[in-house]
Amino acid sequence: MRKKSGRTVRMTGGALALALGAGVVLGTVPAQADWYAYPIQLRYHGSARPSDAAAQNETRSAADRECVAKYGFRARGVTPVGLVNNKHDGTVDWYQYWRCDSN
């Protein structure tokens, strides 16, 4: 009896290894999710901080386009990360950062 059950376990393990190997070769194993963060510049250049809602509303469509350009059909969506500024030459540039997730 022991020999038979041990043989079954080995055969099942071998079949599982072959199935997983075939999945890798055929590309059917699911890919790991990926993400990246990127800034979108606002049109506003004042020193007062704009509202988060206004910054997100202004830049969401550009963030969506950038995400789809990066991941194509694997793009899952964008999430606002933060609002930052960059002061130079007496001007203040505002950037809304977005996170793009893939499947």
Side-chain angles (χ1 to χ4, degrees), residues 31-36 67 70-71 74-77 99-103:
Q32 184 176 353
D34 192 19
W35 65 272
Y36 85 108
C67 187
K70 170 83 173 166
Y71 292 115
R74 290 182 44 223
R76 188 170 66 205
R99 175 183 165 142
C100 174
D101 293 297
S102 76
N103 289 334

Side-chain angles (χ1 to χ4, degrees), residues 34-83:
D34 192 19
W35 65 272
Y36 85 108
Y38 52 95
I40 304 289
Q41 186 173 0
L42 277 68
R43 290 184 303 250
Y44 174 70
H45 296 284
S47 59
R49 178 183 166 88
S51 74
D52 287 338
Q56 291 166 16
N57 289 340
E58 179 183 328
T59 58
R60 181 172 297 276
S61 62
D64 286 335
R65 284 192 303 273
E66 173 114 4
C67 187
V68 170
K70 170 83 173 166
Y71 292 115
F73 70 92
R74 290 182 44 223
R76 188 170 66 205
V78 294
T79 307
V81 176
L83 185 61

